[in-house]
Amino acid sequence: MENMMVRKIGKLAIPIVIGLLFLSACSSKKSDSKQKTVLNLMQTSELTTLDNTNQATMSEFSTLTNLDEGLYKLNTKNEVVPAIAKTVVKPTNDGKTYTIQLRKDARWSNGDKVTAVDFVYSWRRSVDPANNPVYTYVFSGIKNADAIVAGKMSPDNLGIKALGKYKLEINLEHPMQSFNKLVTMPVFLPQDKSFVQKVGTKKYATNAKNTVSNGAFKITKWTGVNDSYTLVKNNYYYAKNKVKLTKINYATVKDDNTAYNLFKTNKLDDATVSGVVAQGLQNNKNLKKVSRAWTYYLQVNQRSGSVLANEKLRKAISLVINREELTQKVLGDGSSAAGSFVSPKTAKDPITGKDFSTETATSTKANVKEAQKLWKEGLSEIGKSSVTLNLIAEDTETQKKVAEYIQSAVQSKLTGVNVKVQDLPAKSLSNKKTAGDFDLSLWYWLADYADPINYLGILTTNNSMNPGKYSSSKFDEYIANAQVAKTQKAYWENLRDAQKQLQKDTGIIPLYYVKEDHLVQSGLSGVIYHTAGFADYTRAYWK
């Protein structure tokens, strides 16, 4: 979720916009609290669509997680478990074919049955260029997906078909060890084909009236333009007896101070805070720190002719950054120093039994003496005695502070270098990166699904999400081998080798892992806070 997430997460990157139009429902919080079946939550941006074909913001991902179910979902341990599928199946045909039986008691909130055709219809829409789909890259590997996205083949040729009302067959172009995790993403949700065709694809999921869901809740009070809405219990849900809440009220809250004040007055039950507000709440009894598959790092411009195409200069910059000081004194929000691109708790390496991030991480300690040696050698190799580096960042409170810290660390520890910082709006930042008009760019990756390949795969040569143009034939080979690996052993060995190669080359400079700070009212239980993915409130309850 990088360039795409500039649109998507316009974002969660520590919002500065001050404003709130809160739900009128919150005024009745007093009566709601007596019932203990109502939950009041916030989003950081308005809801614009719930069409999983082209939804593109954090609020939509979050809402869909609590409205719908796909083939599989994640449990409390972030493990894949059945949802609409009856079981988590193992592939046949050398790992390329999945034959999946669907449960027969799943229904949409309008009473329609959830069938295999609903999955086929949704997935085809999600790769059809005519629908302006957003997440086409995650379909790569499913038979004919790339050709369809490129407009070279009809969506009808996508490798998914209904073998009966409750039986699906999915065909891949090569084995995908992460396939089961992949399809827990909202983009792989089904759509009620008859309903969508009835209301029309342009109106579908643009307001509550034109939206149906197959999960624990259905949406109400959403006009398509208002910034508050309510989820109410879906009585057609196959597991409705496990759902304790009767409704969830959502409001758009863009300012951290506002979120905190609403929480203090019991108008929010689970509020996310960041920046200065979060710093001041680290000892608050209601603070819950949620680990996310979310890494901040420096993208390094390695295009031919760029100063930092020199490996020694890249390494020197990495070595002068005191990540512990950055996380503890500059951020102070619970974030931790990063020694790997892949964040902790994203995935456990099943071959070694260890957390992938932990087992592949390098030291996060600064080594100024070694940095100065490498810097001097690097300057000599490019034939310069001094250089000017352009560091670009998004114009958010946090990114500004981090960029200033990087600027100070580099200029104070290395000689013959001037770092110019530009804080830019997201669109301008993206344009500069695309044009290669930078030396260093502060950015982040928030994983789409809990697997290391979702991080590492974006750094292959010519990947659109690799604006620094890091390129290594060995790295590319490791990723390619992982993508077609027929065994778990081969898959994880190649991922470990890819991570080591990236670190050896200093292809990027990891900085810190984000911890998401939540203020949670006492008594709220049953919420599943996923490391990759979004919080699941479908089994939440009040003690």
Side-chain angles (χ1 to χ4, degrees):
M1 283 188 176
E2 194 247 36
N3 288 352
M4 241 175 265
M5 292 298 285
V6 174
R7 296 196 307 271
K8 270 183 190 177
I9 324 183
K11 175 169 174 183
L12 195 84
I14 323 344
I16 306 290
V17 183
I18 297 177
L20 165 73
L21 293 172
F22 198 61
L23 307 153
S24 60
C26 282
S27 63
S28 61
K29 176 72 171 85
K30 186 174 180 180
S31 61
D32 287 345
S33 63
K34 291 180 180 179
Q35 299 171 24
K36 288 295 181 182
T37 60
V38 174
L39 189 60
N40 291 312
L41 302 178
M42 61 174 278
Q43 300 282 19
T44 55
S45 61
E46 294 83 355
L47 191 62
T48 58
T49 178
L50 284 172
D51 183 350
N52 62 291
T53 294
N54 52 29
Q55 50 77 27
T57 70
M58 290 287 283
S59 61
E60 289 150 6
F61 270 97
S62 174
T63 306
L64 284 169
T65 297
N66 293 287
L67 283 176
D68 289 293
E69 289 189 353
L71 294 171
Y72 307 134
K73 60 184 178 181
L74 300 174
N75 65 11
T76 56
K77 297 180 180 179
N78 289 309
E79 299 168 334
V80 176
V81 294
I84 302 301
K86 292 178 70 175
T87 60
V88 177
V89 305
K90 293 183 178 180
T92 56
N93 185 27
D94 291 327
K96 294 187 290 186
T97 300
Y98 289 77
T99 304
I100 302 173
Q101 295 285 348
L102 307 183
R103 59 187 313 133
K104 296 181 180 180
D105 56 348
R107 290 180 179 270
W108 295 97
S109 54
N110 62 355
D112 290 349
K113 293 183 176 181
V114 180
T115 67
V117 168
D118 294 335
F119 283 92
V120 175
Y121 179 70
S122 175
W123 290 23
R124 286 177 177 174
R125 286 194 70 224
S126 294
V127 294
D128 187 348
N131 295 322
N132 297 315
V134 170
Y135 264 99
T136 55
Y137 85 96
V138 297
F139 284 85
S140 184
I142 298 175
K143 189 175 180 180
N144 298 325
D146 292 338
I148 295 168
V149 170
K152 298 177 181 179
M153 194 176 287
S154 166
D156 293 345
N157 294 313
L158 185 66
I160 181 172
K161 60 183 176 180
L163 299 181
K165 193 169 186 178
Y166 301 105
K167 189 175 183 179
L168 268 179
E169 181 180 282
I170 301 168
N171 288 291
L172 310 180
E173 293 178 345
H174 53 73
M176 295 173 64
Q177 297 296 327
S178 59
F179 180 76
N180 287 341
K181 291 181 181 178
L182 177 70
V183 297
T184 64
M185 288 180 62
V187 71
F188 292 99
L189 291 168
Q191 294 175 4
D192 184 351
K193 181 179 179 180
S194 61
F195 179 83
V196 177
Q197 292 182 331
K198 178 182 178 181
V199 301
T201 56
K202 290 185 178 180
K203 292 183 178 180
Y204 170 63
T206 57
N207 53 44
K209 179 182 178 181
N210 292 321
T211 304
V212 290
S213 55
N214 70 346
F217 297 94
K218 63 180 181 179
I219 192 167
T220 64
K221 300 181 181 179
W222 177 49
T223 65
V225 295
N226 58 330
D227 57 2
S228 63
Y229 52 96
T230 298
L231 308 188
V232 298
K233 189 172 180 178
N234 176 16
N235 288 324
Y236 283 105
Y237 181 48
Y238 66 87
K240 65 180 181 180
N241 292 337
K242 294 182 179 180
V243 181
K244 305 304 180 184
L245 297 176
T246 56
K247 64 179 179 178
I248 301 175
N249 296 317
Y250 279 100
T252 303
V253 183
K254 297 183 179 182
D255 178 64
D256 291 305
N257 281 306
T258 303
Y260 177 47
N261 288 329
L262 288 169
F263 179 81
K264 286 195 300 182
T265 55
N266 295 317
K267 293 177 180 178
L268 281 178
D269 298 314
D270 187 339
T272 54
V273 291
S274 54
V276 175
V277 173
Q279 288 178 17
L281 294 170
Q282 293 306 298
N283 296 318
N284 189 290
K285 66 178 182 178
N286 293 106
L287 186 70
K288 180 180 180 61
K289 306 195 77 62
V290 177
S291 295
R292 299 300 308 274
W294 191 355
T295 303
Y296 262 83
Y297 65 105
L298 286 172
Q299 296 170 329
V300 188
N301 192 343
Q302 295 155 70
R303 291 168 170 83
S304 178
S306 298
V307 171
L308 297 180
N310 183 278
E311 183 180 331
K312 290 181 179 178
L313 297 181
R314 299 196 300 273
K315 177 70 75 175
I317 290 173
S318 181
L319 288 174
V320 297
I321 300 171
N322 186 328
R323 291 164 176 79
E324 298 296 338
E325 184 176 62
L326 170 62
T327 55
Q328 293 175 19
K329 295 184 178 180
V330 178
L331 295 169
D333 60 359
S335 296
S336 57
S340 169
F341 186 27
V342 180
S343 58
K345 298 184 179 180
T346 295
K348 180 182 287 186
D349 183 333
I351 308 305
T352 65
K354 299 177 181 178
D355 180 88
F356 182 86
S357 176
T358 303
E359 73 174 347
T360 60
T362 55
S363 173
T364 60
K365 294 182 179 180
N367 187 336
V368 177
K369 185 176 180 179
E370 177 66 12
Q372 291 173 339
K373 174 178 174 291
L374 290 171
W375 185 256
K376 184 177 180 180
E377 292 174 355
L379 287 180
S380 178
E381 288 177 2
I382 66 172
K384 294 186 177 183
S385 59
S386 64
V387 294
T388 296
L389 300 178
N390 293 312
L391 167 58
I392 59 176
E394 193 172 2
D395 58 353
T396 65
E397 177 188 357
T398 296
Q399 288 207 28
K400 286 178 180 178
K401 290 189 337 186
V402 174
E404 289 173 2
Y405 178 82
I406 300 299
Q407 178 189 45
S408 176
V410 173
Q411 291 185 159
S412 65
K413 301 295 191 301
L414 302 174
T415 58
V417 58
N418 178 38
V419 179
K420 292 183 177 180
V421 174
Q422 282 185 286
D423 300 312
L424 303 164
K427 185 176 181 180
S428 298
L429 183 71
S430 179
N431 290 340
K432 273 190 171 290
K433 288 197 292 186
T434 299
D437 186 13
F438 71 100
D439 293 298
L440 296 166
S441 173
L442 179 61
W443 202 236
Y444 52 83
W445 182 255
L446 176 58
D448 295 307
Y449 56 98
D451 195 283
I453 202 166
N454 189 238
Y455 293 81
L456 300 172
I458 69 166
L459 295 177
T460 52
T461 301
N462 296 324
N463 191 296
S464 62
M465 296 184 187
N466 177 17
K469 299 300 180 183
Y470 166 62
S471 180
S472 163
S473 58
K474 287 185 178 180
F475 179 84
D476 290 348
E477 183 179 353
Y478 292 137
I479 295 299
N481 289 341
Q483 289 173 330
V484 300
K486 293 184 178 181
T487 66
Q488 285 283 313
K489 184 174 183 292
Y491 180 72
W492 289 92
E493 282 180 350
N494 278 286
L495 290 182
R496 286 196 297 273
D497 288 340
Q499 176 67 44
K500 291 174 184 176
Q501 188 65 47
L502 175 65
Q503 291 164 326
K504 176 180 178 294
D505 299 334
T506 316
I508 61 166
I509 300 176
L511 296 174
Y512 62 94
Y513 306 124
V514 177
K515 284 283 180 64
E516 195 170 76
D517 289 330
H518 288 246
L519 288 170
V520 182
Q521 301 288 0
S522 59
L524 179 61
S525 300
V527 182
I528 304 176
Y529 295 96
H530 294 304
T531 304
F534 300 85
D536 182 347
Y537 294 94
T538 62
R539 301 298 189 272
Y541 62 95
W542 290 100
K543 285 185 178 180

